[in-house]
Amino acid sequence: MSPAVLAAYRYCEAVTGHQARNFAYGIRLLPAGKRHAMSALYAFSRRVDDIGDGNLTAGAKRARLTETRTLLGRIADGSVGEDHTDPVAVALADAARRYPIPLGGLDELIDGVLMDVTGRRYETWEDLRSYCRCVAGAIGRLSLGVFGTVPGAADAECAPRYADTLGLALQLTNILRDIREDARTGRTYLPVEDLAKFGCPPLLRDAAVPPGADFTGLVQFEVGRARALFAEGFELLPMLDRRSGACVAAMAGIYRRLLERIARDPAAVLRGRVALPTHQKAYVAVRGLAGLDARSVARRDGRGQRR
């Protein structure tokens, strides 16, 4: 690896460590090559997200996203060299040469962020699922390009679907965790039909729930949906090598525990940002490295449950 490429990866790792502590907990379990590639994927994805979440006008955001999509096209066709001035582009281009990363997933991410820019509402779960597939399911599939599957893994052809589903589970957990923050910026991601079912308005303004609304019932309903997505997505674990499986188990396990904290106290998401203490994150990482979650899935499947 040339000094220029190594410097580009180090830049991406710095971005990841600074802005994504939960993600960083997982990828530190990977060997260096895969860790570098995952950092490059994160840094590029973070750039796209930051455009969508920034203070630019909608028109300026669309222009920046178009520029980013053009850069992605150059990375995909191999025209970004080591002397490029953008370290994220240099790192991602190198990662794409080393691993079969489906870079089209980053195009999907841009599509999803464009939905945010236009302020789209999601009337049904199917509508929201399409958005989640763009902004999170695609990241799962991109990551699988780095991880790969172990030779001879049963049902390996299902791995992209499981990676996609695990991404949906993480994103729905994010949406529940960020209800208060999103409400303050005029956004509500939960499906309008679900909000109506529990007496909540289409937009939860200022994170205040109107009298008579069953907010607890709404959160528990969405928690149940997320649990089902996690259960299906975890079927990916036995298909991965030990360290890749540990990475996925750590990242997903942190969010799974976060979901259970929300389930125990749904109103907590209105009081502030729900988070796990550091010692619990460390426990999840150790559990992932030990392969306990992967073995649990394998035992369950061995008892005759279908994938």
Side-chain angles (χ1 to χ4, degrees):
M1 187 180 297
S2 73
V5 172
L6 183 58
Y9 278 128
R10 284 177 174 163
Y11 174 84
C12 292
E13 288 189 305
V15 170
T16 303
H18 180 67
Q19 300 194 33
R21 288 189 292 268
N22 289 346
F23 188 81
Y25 257 95
I27 67 170
R28 70 177 59 176
L29 303 176
L30 294 170
K34 291 184 178 182
R35 187 177 68 249
H36 288 154
M38 290 296 291
S39 294
L41 279 173
Y42 176 82
F44 192 94
S45 301
R46 179 82 244 180
R47 176 178 297 177
V48 175
D49 285 340
D50 285 348
I51 293 170
D53 292 336
N55 296 321
L56 298 173
T57 65
K61 288 180 179 181
R62 284 193 290 269
R64 288 283 304 279
L65 290 170
T66 297
E67 292 170 3
T68 305
R69 200 190 296 272
T70 299
L71 176 60
L72 178 62
R74 293 186 59 205
I75 293 170
D77 67 22
S79 61
V80 170
E82 296 180 6
D83 59 346
H84 197 281
T85 58
D86 184 340
V88 176
V90 171
L92 184 57
D94 185 78
R97 285 190 288 269
R98 295 173 185 271
Y99 299 97
I101 300 172
L103 291 176
L106 291 170
D107 264 317
E108 293 180 50
L109 174 61
I110 294 171
D111 290 340
V113 172
L114 280 169
M115 295 181 199
D116 284 334
V117 171
T118 59
R120 179 175 169 183
R121 284 198 322 183
Y122 304 98
E123 299 293 330
T124 67
W125 164 239
E126 287 305 314
D127 293 336
L128 180 60
R129 190 207 300 260
S130 296
Y131 166 77
C132 291
R133 281 210 164 111
C134 287
V135 299
I139 302 302
R141 286 177 268 118
L142 287 158
S143 301
L144 183 62
V146 176
F147 299 142
T149 57
V150 295
D155 300 323
E157 70 280 0
C158 297
R161 175 165 62 88
Y162 293 144
D164 183 278
T165 300
L166 203 51
L168 265 65
L170 268 62
Q171 185 64 23
L172 184 52
T173 302
N174 267 334
I175 288 170
L176 290 172
R177 180 193 63 185
D178 294 342
I179 284 176
R180 180 172 180 260
E181 182 179 331
D182 290 334
R184 288 179 168 178
T185 59
R187 292 178 180 175
T188 300
Y189 286 93
L190 293 177
V192 172
E193 67 176 11
D194 293 355
L195 292 162
K197 183 186 302 183
F198 293 94
C200 296
L203 178 61
L204 296 172
R205 297 185 183 278
D206 299 322
V209 180
D214 183 8
F215 183 76
T216 295
L218 170 68
V219 172
Q220 295 291 5
F221 179 78
E222 303 299 347
V223 164
R225 177 174 278 155
R227 283 173 175 157
L229 292 169
F230 272 114
E232 180 179 346
F234 273 132
E235 297 285 352
L236 176 66
L237 294 180
M239 302 178 181
L240 305 177
D241 66 69
R242 178 173 173 268
R243 292 178 71 175
S244 296
C247 172
V248 174
M251 289 190 291
I254 287 170
Y255 279 88
R256 183 67 170 79
R257 284 173 175 264
L258 184 64
L259 181 72
E260 294 309 318
R261 285 176 73 93
I262 294 170
R264 288 193 295 271
D265 183 9
V269 299
L270 299 179
R271 297 193 296 269
R273 190 179 179 89
V274 180
L276 287 186
T278 301
H279 73 273
Q280 286 197 26
K281 293 180 182 180
Y283 169 77
V284 172
V286 171
R287 181 181 174 87
L289 193 57
L292 297 179
D293 296 303
R295 287 200 290 273
S296 176
V297 172
R299 285 196 300 270
R300 187 183 69 208
D301 291 338
R303 290 195 296 268
Q305 293 192 23
R306 295 181 60 191
R307 282 187 174 172

